[in-house]
Amino acid sequence: MSSPNPGTPKSSTVHDPKVFEYHNPAGGWGALKAVSKHLLHSRSPAVNARSLFKLNQPDGFDCPGCAWGDPEHGSSFEFCENGVKAVTWEATSKRVTRNFFAKHTVSELKTWDDYRLEDQGRLVEPMRYNADTDHYEPITWDAALDLIAAELKALPTPDDAIFYTSGKAGNESAYVFQLLARLYGTNNLPDCSNMCHEASGVALTKALGTGKGSVRLEDFEKAEAIFVFGQNPGTNHPRMLGTLREAAERGATIVSVNPLRERGLEKFADPQKALEMLHNGSHPISSHYFCPKLGGDMAVMRGMAKSLFARDAAGEAVLDHAFMAEHTVELDAYRALVEATTWETLEAQSGLSRAEMEDAAKLYARSKATIICWAMGITQHVHSVPTVREIVNLLMLCGNLGKPGAGTSPVRGHSNVQGDRTMGIFEKPSDALLNALEARYGQPMPREYGVDSVAAVHAMRNQPGKVFIGLAGNFTRAISDSRVTEAAMAQCRLTAFISTKLNRSHLVTGRDALILPCLGRTEVDRNAVGKPQLITVEDSMSMVHGSAGINRPVDSKLPSEITILTGIAERLLGSEVVDWAAMREDYDVIREHIETVIPGFENFNERVREPRGFWLGNPAVDLRFPTESGKAEFSAAELPGQVIHQQMATREGNWLTLQTMRSHDQYNTTVYGYNDRYRGIENGRQVIFLNAGDIDRLGLKAGQWVDLIGESGDGVERRMDGFKVVAYDTPKGCAAAYYPETNPLIPLDHKGDQSHTPASKSIAIRLEPSTRIA
Ligand SMILES: Nc1nc2c(c(=O)[nH]1)N[C@H]1C(S)=C(S)[C@@H](COP(=O)(O)OP(=O)(O)OC[C@H]3O[C@@H](n4cnc5c(=O)[nH]c(N)nc54)[C@H](O)[C@@H]3O)O[C@H]1N2
Ligand SMILES: Nc1nc2c(c(=O)[nH]1)N[C@H]1C(S)=C(S)[C@@H](COP(=O)(O)OP(=O)(O)OC[C@H]3O[C@@H](n4cnc5c(=O)[nH]c(N)nc54)[C@H](O)[C@@H]3O)O[C@H]1N2
Ligand SMILES: [Mo]
């Protein structure tokens, strides 16, 4: 499809974004108002109001929103506007039936935007694409699952199949999915983590020997300083604001590092605090806010380290030498490199002044226990792995590992993205996992690494005739270079998506295409004899707990993800090695399998029924570092020579670095509405945030429509039409716009050096006055 803006309605003027000044804190009355609006829009306000009280409760379901931890003690209802949106979006009474598909061709639906597609409601019937009529038509479950098995069996090699997982899938679905793929014969298990926190896993594993964050929720109660790099919790992890606020109230220093001034990081009114609400009060969150250039964080931290080394050399007791001598290696190489780096270089790369970096170092050094949190502003860059390692370097300098109130906190995205990896959803499985699977099932496991998300697109592009199966998510829309991706997906012999809502991935059909609707996490999942089933998830802090839906399913015939997956497995692999039917009938059986294969899950069925679940532990907490050297490792990596700003400064032309991010009204590719309240945007998503100086320099005006043109240098024109210019507080040279609309601008191979994560926070672009909209 060659529309100028894939997935965007032809006329963007339908939505003419309004810009306003937002002076209020994050949360507060605005959040309550948004909640009531979403409850009403779902058409099931009563059911949903009841569901909200079961969110993240021991006898309820895990919030399908973010992966922030749940409090272990107490069971107070935690209010979160965006958790409410996630629940009401799923628990709607609107349904997408066969009549809907009879009415609209796929070509027509391709002209709808992401909001309109998902807003049609829940998918309820399996559908198969008919290329002759260009309509999706009903198919029976048996025929759909037979078709998948037949297509997989017909492939020349199992490596021609791709099994994608989005982090919404619970542990049990994830375990069954990877088992199915590996018994069939492939490690082609890309996942949304490839586009998300991959760099954190790669960097932490190299530095500390374990890819997960080390802190738990209670550490936030003990930290003296909390640094938040590249994260917008007011929108994406609103429950974290409550945690930060408590920390701020007891006097902890909270430092934000972000090129945009995000309202949630500045002040927050807690809707659960009645007095505060009545007085229209709020509480400041960050005591200090630094605004580096996009991609400048590694230089910021190196500047902090340089300041600490200088003070140490002058005899100040700022470094923890005892910790470093006992637990780390490679300090000397790191120190030599940092000391040899000039302040000019650090200022040019970071966009902060020497004084600002020294201030940040002071705040850091005076705290006896520091947590560093980070998210996509750090991981979606070309040099994200060395940047995460720089975070660890900084923590180690002052001994901020293995003690209460200190450590690493990569704040994960999807509610079970971390758990899916624990369950073996990984294209590069460890030998330990494969050996354990072989021991349990007596079958050889594929040893060759599979494809990650970017490599999956290359594979489909280079060789037509693949089979793509998606367990949740919206792969086509989430990954970069949308035009290339869509053309690649269309070459598949079969695409099949296990989904709750209609999305664009369903419309980019292979020769054959299936939509397989399933139950959502908020709904009761009963087996054949009516017994409700429990699933489990793991949060950002390695806590594993149960999740049981409470709502009546939107359709009585809707199967669970596990029913669909085991149905495919039976037809494809038979039931001699694995009794798939037993798994389907009782998820305890799946957990028994997990217990024997995945370390840390002993007595899984028992422990998961404890009210708050259990902690998987983390060796870094006990100062055990299963790295090559057996110690925590400093990384002496060069600063990125290729930060796009440097290129810009030395070239003719008006380049900008674009970051692509989330609005307050979306969950990844799921768009709940057209507003971004905290950033003052209403009724539209096609906006580009620019520094006021850049607007002048480029001869533009706020409110003007511009086109965005990718400047990747690979000779391919990547252009997006019709974005409205908005002046915003961000450093010169930096721009911001919403994902997923901007994904056509990101070249497929613009990705992290060691993580292969699309570098969606540093895209070189230039602007032209819009040719389409005056
Ligand atoms: N409501 C809601 N909740 C969500 C999601 C959602 O879409 N909606 N998505 C979930 C998922 S999967 C994820 S991964 C997380 C994402 O959570 P975030 O990482 O908060 O998501 P983004 O919107 O991508 O925001 C990136 C933030 O980093 C900043 N940033 C960008 N580039 C840089 C940089 O170079 N340096 C620094 N220091 N900062 C930078 C941006 O200004 C922005 O504040 O949220 C999860 N929770
Ligand atoms: N440019 C740019 N691109 C990005 C990012 C960015 O910041 N910028 N962020 C990246 C990140 S961090 C991530 S995690 C990915 C997200 O990529 P994905 O995880 O693939 O995408 P989602 O938008 O979360 O998927 C939404 C779809 O999931 C389905 N779904 C929802 N709930 C369920 C469920 O319970 N079961 C099933 N079976 N299906 C369900 C619905 O059909 C819905 O349409 O996008 C990445 N892409
Ligand atoms: Mo994510």
Side-chain angles (χ1 to χ4, degrees):
M1 149 135 181
S2 63
S3 106
N5 295 355
T8 310
K10 275 258 180 303
S11 167
S12 307
T13 43
V14 178
H15 289 286
D16 183 358
K18 301 272 174 302
V19 181
F20 65 96
E21 293 265 336
Y22 184 81
H23 296 292
N24 296 324
W29 290 108
L32 288 186
K33 208 170 118 194
V35 161
S36 53
K37 196 182 107 192
H38 281 270
L39 278 173
L40 288 174
H41 186 76
S42 73
R43 289 206 212 135
S44 307
V47 171
N48 276 319
R50 186 174 60 98
S51 339
L52 296 179
F53 286 94
K54 289 288 178 195
L55 257 184
N56 293 332
Q57 295 304 304
D59 60 340
F61 54 91
D62 181 68
C63 180
C66 71
W68 187 249
D70 305 325
E72 267 183 89
H73 34 79
S75 61
S76 67
F77 163 64
E78 277 205 294
F79 174 87
C80 161
E81 175 191 341
N82 281 349
V84 171
K85 288 182 197 161
V87 169
T88 54
W89 194 252
E90 176 175 300
T92 173
S93 61
K94 296 189 220 170
R95 296 151 50 105
V96 179
T97 61
R98 58 177 69 189
N99 297 340
F100 172 87
F101 288 110
K103 206 159 134 203
H104 305 285
T105 61
V106 166
S107 303
E108 182 202 340
L109 294 174
K110 272 185 174 169
T111 66
W112 293 18
D113 69 1
D114 301 299
Y115 171 79
R116 193 168 168 204
L117 289 174
E118 284 216 18
D119 192 42
Q120 300 312 309
R122 289 285 299 280
L123 296 160
V124 286
E125 267 187 287
M127 306 295 297
R128 179 184 188 178
Y129 181 60
N130 180 341
D132 294 335
T133 61
D134 193 27
H135 281 277
Y136 265 105
E137 294 166 358
I139 180 174
T140 63
W141 276 109
D142 270 331
L145 302 183
D146 284 345
L147 176 67
I148 295 176
E151 288 287 322
L152 286 171
K153 282 182 187 164
L155 289 176
T157 140
D159 287 331
D160 281 342
I162 294 162
F163 297 87
Y164 171 74
T165 309
S166 157
K168 192 73 176 287
N171 287 334
E172 291 71 13
S173 313
Y175 184 82
V176 169
F177 200 43
Q178 64 83 35
L179 183 59
L180 183 172
R182 294 201 166 104
L183 284 173
Y184 168 64
T186 184
N187 284 313
N188 281 346
L189 286 155
D191 64 355
C192 72
S193 214
N194 296 145
M195 305 177 235
C196 183
H197 259 294
E198 193 70 60
S200 306
V202 172
L204 291 174
T205 303
K206 284 207 178 121
L208 304 175
T210 167
K212 298 181 184 178
S214 68
V215 303
R216 304 171 72 182
L217 213 45
E218 53 264 41
D219 286 306
F220 285 84
E221 294 165 15
K222 296 171 192 138
E224 289 185 19
I226 300 165
F227 280 69
V228 183
F229 278 89
Q231 197 195 342
N232 180 22
T235 287
N236 299 315
H237 303 90
R239 290 181 299 119
M240 179 177 171
L241 283 193
T243 305
L244 291 180
R245 181 201 159 113
E246 275 168 29
E249 273 179 337
R250 65 174 172 76
T253 304
I254 297 182
V255 182
S256 290
V257 184
N258 197 311
L260 291 184
R261 289 211 158 259
E262 301 283 25
R263 183 42 48 103
L265 289 167
E266 293 184 321
K267 50 182 174 168
F268 172 54
D270 193 339
Q272 288 174 101
K273 294 207 168 22
L275 259 183
E276 185 163 281
M277 293 292 282
L278 285 173
H279 293 114
N280 260 338
S282 65
H283 199 282
I285 297 291
S286 306
S287 45
H288 302 80
Y289 207 117
F290 297 99
C291 294
K293 291 199 273 202
L294 287 166
D297 304 85
M298 186 175 171
V300 173
M301 288 180 267
R302 196 152 284 187
M304 292 168 68
K306 187 173 172 73
S307 166
L308 295 175
F309 284 132
R311 289 169 60 189
D312 175 70
E316 280 188 65
V318 285
L319 301 182
D320 189 339
H321 287 290
F323 172 88
M324 289 189 284
E326 191 178 345
H327 299 293
T328 73
V329 292
E330 300 296 333
L331 169 66
D332 293 347
Y334 177 63
R335 183 167 190 154
L337 180 71
V338 172
E339 288 178 337
T341 312
T342 64
W343 281 110
E344 291 72 49
T345 302
L346 293 167
E347 288 186 329
Q349 286 234 355
S350 67
L352 295 190
S353 66
R354 173 178 176 172
E356 285 175 303
M357 288 182 266
E358 286 175 340
D359 279 350
K362 265 185 213 142
L363 297 168
Y364 176 62
R366 95 178 172 209
S367 151
K368 286 191 204 62
T370 303
I371 294 174
I372 302 186
C373 304
W374 72 92
M376 298 304 102
I378 293 294
T379 61
Q380 295 177 333
H381 285 287
V382 175
H383 55 288
S384 48
V385 170
T387 306
V388 175
R389 293 208 59 182
E390 200 73 19
I391 291 176
V392 181
N393 289 345
L394 197 58
L395 287 170
M396 293 191 298
L397 285 179
C398 296
N400 279 308
L401 285 173
K403 66 179 178 191
T408 54
S409 180
V411 182
R412 307 278 167 183
H414 264 299
S415 49
N416 196 42
V417 62
Q418 186 160 316
D420 290 344
R421 271 289 163 90
T422 307
M423 292 299 118
I425 299 290
F426 194 18
E427 77 282 356
K428 298 190 200 71
S430 64
D431 281 339
L433 172 71
L434 297 177
N435 294 344
L437 286 165
E438 284 183 356
R440 174 71 173 80
Y441 300 105
Q443 299 286 314
M445 291 290 147
R447 293 277 159 173
E448 220 170 286
Y449 285 170
V451 291
D452 58 25
S453 288
V454 166
V457 178
H458 278 299
M460 291 184 283
R461 186 187 196 188
N462 296 340
Q463 198 195 40
K466 308 267 183 202
V467 170
F468 185 103
I469 301 179
L471 171 58
N474 185 3
F475 179 77
T476 318
R477 198 74 175 129
I479 189 99
S480 36
D481 229 343
S482 313
R483 293 182 186 93
V484 169
T485 295
E486 293 196 357
M489 295 289 291
Q491 300 202 86
C492 287
R493 61 190 287 162
L494 171 69
T495 50
F497 290 92
I498 302 172
S499 313
T500 52
K501 290 269 191 125
L502 183 63
N503 65 43
R504 192 165 172 92
S505 292
H506 305 135
L507 308 175
V508 183
T509 51
R511 193 191 66 202
D512 225 320
L514 292 168
I515 300 175
L516 307 167
C518 65
L519 291 172
R521 200 183 279 174
T522 57
E523 291 163 321
V524 185
D525 176 359
R526 291 182 196 279
N527 67 6
V529 295
K531 186 174 166 224
Q533 298 296 308
L534 179 80
I535 66 149
T536 63
V537 294
E538 174 184 339
D539 68 26
S540 255
M541 285 127 194
S542 307
M543 291 292 301
V544 179
H545 48 86
S547 171
I550 58 158
N551 292 337
R552 200 170 54 176
V554 68
D555 187 283
S556 60
K557 290 193 284 299
L558 214 48
S560 66
E561 286 169 358
I562 287 163
T563 301
I564 298 170
L565 294 175
T566 52
I568 297 171
E570 278 169 332
R571 288 165 173 83
L572 180 66
L573 306 163
S575 297
E576 271 157 40
V577 175
V578 179
D579 185 351
W580 304 99
M583 287 182 158
R584 179 165 61 231
E585 276 316 296
D586 188 349
Y587 300 171
D588 279 1
V589 173
I590 306 176
R591 283 185 283 273
E592 280 159 19
H593 283 246
I594 293 172
E595 189 174 311
T596 56
V597 172
I598 312 285
F601 286 83
E602 299 75 22
N603 299 325
F604 192 7
N605 277 312
E606 210 173 288
R607 284 196 293 161
V608 81
R609 288 183 167 86
E610 285 161 17
R612 291 283 164 188
F614 59 96
W615 184 49
L616 283 175
N618 184 306
V621 171
D622 306 319
L623 295 170
R624 283 187 294 113
F625 302 107
T627 57
E628 273 172 35
S629 63
K631 303 241 178 186
E633 301 190 358
F634 275 95
S635 150
E638 292 293 337
L639 286 170
Q642 295 296 316
V643 173
I644 288 169
H645 298 88
Q646 264 77 55
Q647 299 173 9
M648 281 188 332
T650 56
R651 284 198 204 200
E652 290 295 307
N654 293 316
W655 287 34
L656 295 162
T657 305
L658 174 74
Q659 66 148 316
T660 57
M661 59 184 187
R662 294 149 174 82
S663 81
H664 194 61
D665 259 2
Q666 76 183 82
Y667 194 92
N668 298 336
T669 71
T670 294
V671 176
Y672 303 128
Y674 297 100
N675 301 337
D676 191 7
R677 196 168 74 246
Y678 299 154
R679 299 196 186 105
I681 303 296
E682 214 172 69
N683 189 42
R685 290 175 50 84
Q686 301 237 151
V687 292
I688 176 145
F689 299 94
L690 297 173
N691 174 288
D694 281 337
I695 298 180
D696 285 348
R697 180 175 63 89
L698 299 171
L700 302 170
K701 292 221 158 14
Q704 177 179 350
W705 293 95
V706 291
D707 296 343
L708 319 185
I709 296 113
E711 279 290 354
S712 60
D714 64 359
V716 179
E717 164 150 285
R718 295 184 182 81
R719 188 186 187 99
M720 295 291 296
D721 293 351
F723 284 70
K724 202 170 198 178
V725 172
V726 176
Y728 210 80
D729 191 353
T730 191
K732 280 201 181 134
C734 299
Y738 302 126
Y739 127 82
E741 287 84 345
T742 41
N743 280 11
L745 293 171
I746 312 175
L748 191 57
D749 285 319
H750 183 53
K751 57 184 174 51
D753 277 339
Q754 298 167 59
S755 59
H756 306 174
T757 298
S760 41
K761 299 288 191 271
S762 62
I763 309 155
I765 58 158
R766 99 193 127 75
L767 308 179
E768 282 179 5
S770 187
T771 49
R772 210 156 56 97
I773 307 167

